[in-house]
Amino acid sequence: DAGVIQSPRHEVTEMGQEVTLRCKPISGHNSLFWYRQTMMRGLELLIYFNNNVPIDDSGMPEDRFSAKMPNASFSTLKIQPSEPRDSAVYFCASSLDDRGKNEQYFGPGTRLTVT
Amino acid sequence: AQSVTQLDSQVPVFEEAPVELRCNYSSSVSVYLFWYVQYPNQGLQLLLKYLSGSTLVKGINGFEAEFNKSQTSFHLRKPSVHISDTAEYFCAVSYTGRRALTFGSGTRLQVQP
């Protein structure tokens, strides 16, 4: 299995631009999670989906952030407009849902730099 | 609020020495507990997990952890570390019925020759 795939691995953009991060979960997994990692705040859950439905988006910082999961094999996290404080590593993870018992498999992350 | 505390942000240790990375969580309900490792510029990888049963859990790379319900702790140990164990280690908690994980702030293990 290829594991969780994220693209791009690195993204550098200017403030005000739209950024789209992509994730392909492991085939057969039905839960998908988006996390953000920064030095100041550590690992934060942004949003998670179960069976393609957003379950908890309370971690999404503000309306500039949106996430979609149109099918079981693809999800996007969009930031519009981007700001320098959005600079971070964004991780996607997937798991086979068993009410939190199963491990989450993480992708390699997307390092976002907003100048 | 549910939280996970990793008391040490950095732990320097010499090669072949034992190490313990501490983790405490706040909870009044049942939990599932995990330790993840993150090598530089990589995603997180599961080391071990506790769901139920024996409180001593063994994981990959010679690591083990002990669940202590009364102290709400889940400390990670290894009897003899290697240079290759240098990485960041995260403790995480899944509260029963909630799929998402709450992560601690991480502990950077630095193994010196």
Side-chain angles (χ1 to χ4, degrees), chain A residues 9 31 33 35 37 42-43 45 48 50 55-56 58 91 97-108 111, chain B residues 32 34 36 38 41-46 49 51 88 90 94-105 108:
Chain A
R9 291 293 310 275
S31 289
F33 307 81
Y35 292 91
Q37 186 178 36
L43 265 166
L45 176 70
Y48 77 90
N50 184 247
I55 303 299
D56 182 353
S58 59
F91 288 103
D97 178 38
D98 189 15
R99 289 290 174 178
K101 291 182 182 179
N102 286 334
E103 69 173 285
Q104 295 180 18
Y105 291 80
F106 282 75
R111 183 175 295 276
Chain B
Y32 304 127
F34 303 80
Y36 283 83
Q38 184 179 29
N41 299 315
Q42 294 186 28
L44 279 71
Q45 177 186 358
L46 182 73
K49 63 181 178 182
L51 303 181
E88 185 117 21
F90 292 91
S94 168
Y95 294 91
T96 305
R98 186 169 186 265
R99 299 175 182 89
L101 292 173
T102 300
F103 282 90
S105 54
R108 183 169 298 277

Side-chain angles (χ1 to χ4, degrees), chain A residues 18-111:
Chain A
E18 177 180 296
V19 175
T20 299
L21 311 181
R22 297 173 176 80
C23 175
K24 177 179 170 55
I26 292 173
S27 177
H29 284 187
N30 57 2
S31 289
L32 183 139
F33 307 81
W34 281 101
Y35 292 91
R36 178 171 68 176
Q37 186 178 36
T38 62
M39 289 291 292
M40 292 297 294
R41 300 174 67 88
L43 265 166
E44 303 173 281
L45 176 70
L46 299 178
I47 184 171
Y48 77 90
F49 297 83
N50 184 247
N51 293 322
N52 312 337
V53 176
I55 303 299
D56 182 353
D57 65 354
S58 59
M60 296 286 264
E62 48 197 274
D63 292 345
R64 298 184 298 105
F65 285 70
S66 62
K68 294 182 180 179
M69 192 164 186
N71 57 62
S73 59
F74 184 66
S75 177
T76 60
L77 177 67
K78 185 176 293 185
I79 308 172
Q80 166 63 21
S82 58
E83 296 182 4
R85 61 189 167 130
D86 302 331
S87 297
V89 181
Y90 290 81
F91 288 103
C92 176
S94 71
S95 74
L96 187 60
D97 178 38
D98 189 15
R99 289 290 174 178
K101 291 182 182 179
N102 286 334
E103 69 173 285
Q104 295 180 18
Y105 291 80
F106 282 75
T110 295
R111 183 175 295 276

